[in-house]
């Protein structure tokens, strides 16, 4: 796929939504990357310079190199370093450059949502001190910024214990989000949709994160442009947000119903169909540089929005607090596994 095509995919996602994005995606086989069994942090444990033998991509013969670029590691590994941060209710990777998470994963079940050990009135927004000071988001960055501290994993999904709910208030679980019309409205309806999935599925996993997508400007060229809040400027304002959903049938080796949604960080009318924001998972992967289901065999994959009706239930904020789950999404006729 050409660079131009990739740029068009991203811009179409930003401007026209899922339908055009899906039409432009190629069916090219994805390269599967295998992550190490245990995460590594910081610098390599050994500073011994490697042997000065390298393999040139232009030659099939090993060459003796007079230089050792990897010798830099004796002074430290530059990065990038994604601060992996497991908490009772979330697991996340942090982007030190934007001061936002790269992704935040959560797991909800009917049992976890039925518990009420946490009270939001006792939770407070706090800076994540596990992130090095010079890279972390700060409370003062959001002051008078015009943006909400937008949860990536909502507090309502972690009410099973106070510690679990408290961990959702770390700023490493936040991104600047437009308030009225988005964070307090359509985005909240999407979060509610995810919770209601537990009426049909015994286990639901959700990955949420920000995107910074290009848009075509008046000169016809594509550019990525986003605001940075704070004084001095510190936290990037995402142009879009994604949610990738894994709805599990609860059986060992069973089917997993998948869906991915990409929403612009701006007010969205409540009458906008949720399926307008449905995109192939590959579109999110291309835009984010992440991979979400590389180890999930094709024969176990189902399309979520062919299993249930993907739609939001519009309710006012006060009503949402009274009933966090609401009415279950409507189930549709069974379908064949996704191609």
């Amino acid at each position: 796929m050409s660079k131009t095509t990739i740029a068009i995919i991203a811009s179409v996602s930003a401007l026209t939504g899922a339908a055009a994005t899906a039409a432009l995606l190629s069916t090219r086989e994805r390269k599967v990357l295998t992550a190490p069994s245990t995460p590594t942090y910081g610098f390599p444990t050994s500073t011994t310079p490697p042997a000065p033998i390298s393999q040139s991509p232009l030659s099939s013969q090993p060459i003796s190199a007079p230089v050792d670029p990897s010798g830099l590691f004796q002074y430290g590994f530059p990065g990038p370093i994604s601060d992996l941060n497991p908490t009772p209710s979330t697991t996340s990777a942090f982007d030190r450059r934007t001061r936002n998470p790269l992704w935040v994963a959560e797991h909800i079940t009917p049992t976890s949502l039925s518990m009420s050990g946490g009270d939001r009135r006792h939770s407070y927004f706090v800076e994540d001190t596990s992130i090095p000071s010079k890279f972390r988001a700060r409370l003062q960055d959001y002051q008078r910024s015009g943006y909400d501290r937008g949860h990536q994993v909502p507090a309502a999904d972690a009410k099973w214990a106070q510690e679990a709910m408290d961990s959702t208030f770390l700023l490493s679980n936040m991104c600047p989000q437009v308030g009225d019309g988005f964070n307090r409205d359509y985005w909240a309806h999407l979060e509610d949709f995810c919770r209601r999935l537990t009426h049909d599925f015994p286990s639901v996993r959700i990955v949420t994160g920000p995107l910074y997508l290009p848009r075509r400007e008046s000169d016809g060229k594509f550019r990525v442009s986003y605001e940075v809040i704070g004084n001095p400027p510190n936290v990037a304002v995402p142009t879009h947000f994604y949610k990738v959903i894994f709805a599990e049938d609860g059986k060992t080796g069973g089917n997993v119903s998948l869906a991915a949604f990409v929403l612009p960080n701006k007010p969205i009318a409540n009458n906008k169909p949720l399926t307008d924001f449905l995109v192939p998972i590959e579109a999110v992967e291309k835009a984010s540089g992440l991979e979400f289901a590389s180890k999930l065999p094709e024969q176990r994959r189902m399309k979520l929005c062919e299993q249930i009706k993907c739609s939001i239930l519009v309710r006012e904020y006060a009503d949402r607090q009274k009933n966090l789950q609401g009415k279950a999404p409507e189930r549709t006729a069974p379908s064949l596994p996704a191609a």
Side-chain angles (χ1 to χ4, degrees):
M1 182 179 295
S2 68
K3 293 183 179 179
T4 301
T5 304
I6 294 173
I8 291 175
I9 288 173
S11 64
V12 168
S13 297
L15 301 176
T16 62
T21 303
L24 287 170
L25 274 173
S26 95
T27 57
R28 173 180 179 179
E29 182 181 355
R30 293 179 301 155
K31 180 180 180 182
V32 177
L33 302 179
T34 302
S37 58
T38 56
T40 57
Y41 306 92
F43 308 138
T45 56
S46 173
T47 58
T48 303
I53 299 295
S54 63
Q55 184 74 28
S56 170
L58 303 178
S59 172
S60 60
Q61 299 298 323
I63 62 172
S64 178
V67 295
D68 175 24
S70 297
L72 173 70
F73 297 160
Q74 65 184 300
Y75 306 118
F77 180 67
I81 297 172
S82 298
D83 300 272
L84 188 64
N85 185 21
T87 75
S89 54
T90 69
T91 296
S92 64
F94 190 75
D95 186 345
R96 294 182 172 189
R97 184 178 63 87
T98 64
R99 279 48 158 180
N100 287 320
L102 288 163
W103 53 266
V104 189
E106 61 172 313
H107 181 211
I108 56 176
T109 67
T111 299
S112 71
L113 293 179
S114 68
M115 300 170 68
S116 56
D119 188 337
R120 183 167 183 151
R121 294 173 298 179
H122 300 152
S123 297
Y124 304 93
F125 292 100
V126 293
E127 297 176 10
D128 190 340
T129 56
S130 71
I131 307 297
S133 178
K134 63 183 177 182
F135 297 125
R136 76 178 64 138
R138 302 188 179 279
L139 291 169
Q140 64 190 32
D141 293 329
Y142 284 86
Q143 292 179 1
R144 293 182 293 278
S145 69
Y147 293 96
D148 285 1
R149 293 164 291 198
H151 284 73
Q152 301 302 280
V153 169
D157 291 4
K159 61 189 182 71
W160 48 271
Q162 189 63 50
E163 183 182 0
M165 181 170 285
D166 289 347
S167 65
T168 69
F169 282 81
L170 290 168
L171 289 190
S172 56
N173 183 47
M174 306 292 159
C175 291
Q177 289 186 328
V178 171
D180 290 336
F182 187 66
N183 181 47
R184 305 169 209 168
D185 295 284
Y186 205 97
W187 184 254
H189 304 327
L190 176 56
E191 294 171 337
D192 174 72
F193 166 77
C194 294
R195 285 189 288 272
R196 290 186 287 115
L197 289 173
T198 60
H199 288 277
D200 286 309
F201 299 93
S203 173
V204 179
R205 302 181 190 276
I206 308 155
V207 185
T208 306
L211 293 173
Y212 309 85
L213 298 183
R215 60 178 300 172
R216 189 191 294 271
E217 298 190 351
S218 58
D219 60 2
K221 297 181 180 180
F222 290 94
R223 294 182 176 88
V224 177
S225 177
Y226 53 83
E227 185 179 350
V228 181
I229 62 173
N231 186 19
N234 191 45
V235 181
V237 179
T239 64
H240 293 72
F241 291 93
Y242 67 83
K243 280 189 180 290
V244 178
I245 300 172
F246 302 75
E248 303 168 340
D249 66 7
K251 302 175 183 178
T252 302
N255 293 329
V256 181
S257 297
L258 302 172
F261 300 93
V262 173
L263 282 66
N265 189 13
K266 65 180 183 180
I268 301 174
N270 283 333
N271 61 0
K272 188 80 167 171
L274 178 59
T275 50
D276 281 6
F277 304 106
L278 181 68
V279 302
I281 289 180
E282 291 83 1
V284 181
E285 292 177 329
K286 288 177 182 294
S288 65
L290 306 172
E291 288 193 317
F292 297 100
S294 61
K295 294 185 177 181
L296 180 64
E298 292 293 333
Q299 62 269 27
R300 293 179 56 198
R301 300 185 183 205
M302 307 289 283
K303 293 182 179 180
L304 177 65
C305 294
E306 291 181 358
Q307 304 302 303
I308 56 97
K309 182 179 180 181
C310 289
S311 62
I312 63 170
L313 179 62
V314 178
R315 290 181 293 158
E316 296 301 323
Y317 179 80
D319 293 333
R320 291 199 303 270
Q321 301 308 299
K322 294 178 183 178
N323 180 10
L324 293 176
Q325 289 188 314
K327 182 180 177 182
E330 297 177 14
R331 178 171 286 278
T332 59
S335 65
L336 296 175

